[in-house]
Amino acid sequence: MISNNKDLNEIDFLKTWSITILDFLSEKDNDYKMFAETTKLTFAKFPAKPNAQMVKGLREAFRDFNEIAKNLPPSKYQELNIALLKKFGKNLETYSNEEVVFKVIKRDKIISDLEYRIIEEKVNELCQISENSSNIESLNNLLLAYCQSKF
């Protein structure tokens, strides 16, 4: 179980940030209302001292909500970023996956499942822009090397 203040503060931040995004999404698009309400009820039932696996899941949800927000139309994305900046002093750009991609490329190695997922998403993104890219090939090689190292 998680019990130190640093971890508990992180959990509180992750939940509050995620709820802020959910509220914004449901306010702007009725299709998100049911999802937002269900997720907020789940957060309300989150134990005061969760185990490490639960925290890992919360971090994944945080990243997923940020990813959903990145796909907003530019005007709504900017509006959400302003709201997040006012409330938290940070915005979606603060938690961009580009930093992780840069670190992996610099290191020339994927070292975790999370990095694998982020690199895989980056490859998918690059494939939508251009099918022929040296970046795609080098990132695919990193993905392959990571998979081979797991077996």
Side-chain angles (χ1 to χ4, degrees), residues 99-110:
E99 185 178 316
V100 174
V101 172
F102 178 76
K103 285 180 183 177
V104 168
I105 290 170
K106 186 176 180 181
R107 183 187 326 119
D108 199 34
K109 184 176 182 179
I110 297 171

Side-chain angles (χ1 to χ4, degrees), residues 11-143:
I11 291 165
D12 185 52
F13 167 76
L14 294 172
K15 288 177 13 182
T16 306
W17 176 278
S18 298
I19 288 170
T20 302
I21 291 175
L22 288 169
D23 287 343
F24 181 87
L25 292 171
S26 64
E27 177 186 307
K28 301 298 178 188
D29 186 343
N30 282 334
D31 291 341
Y32 283 104
K33 280 199 186 299
M34 175 81 81
F35 173 70
E37 292 307 314
T38 303
T39 305
K40 286 167 37 176
L41 285 172
T42 302
F43 284 165
K45 294 177 182 177
F46 209 75
K49 294 184 179 182
N51 63 37
Q53 194 65 27
M54 295 171 89
V55 175
K56 183 178 178 185
L58 187 57
R59 288 180 185 131
E60 288 291 323
F62 168 83
R63 282 186 278 279
D64 290 343
F65 294 136
N66 288 347
E67 200 60 37
I68 291 168
K70 285 182 188 176
N71 292 312
L72 288 168
S75 63
K76 289 182 181 177
Y77 178 83
Q78 186 169 355
E79 185 181 343
L80 175 58
N81 256 341
I82 290 168
L84 291 169
L85 194 58
K86 282 182 183 176
K87 187 169 184 173
F88 299 99
K90 301 173 184 182
N91 62 26
L92 292 163
E93 301 306 316
T94 308
Y95 299 103
S96 170
N97 287 337
E98 292 302 316
E99 185 178 316
V100 174
V101 172
F102 178 76
K103 285 180 183 177
V104 168
I105 290 170
K106 186 176 180 181
R107 183 187 326 119
D108 199 34
K109 184 176 182 179
I110 297 171
I111 60 172
S112 71
D113 289 346
L114 174 60
E115 286 183 353
Y116 181 91
R117 188 180 127 210
I118 291 169
I119 297 298
E120 186 176 43
E121 288 171 1
K122 184 64 175 179
V123 168
N124 290 336
E125 181 184 310
L126 290 171
C127 285
Q128 292 175 13
I129 297 168
S130 169
E131 292 181 20
N132 298 326
S133 167
S134 60
N135 286 342
I136 294 171
E137 186 176 339
S138 63
L139 292 174
N140 271 330
N141 287 335
L142 292 174
L143 292 168

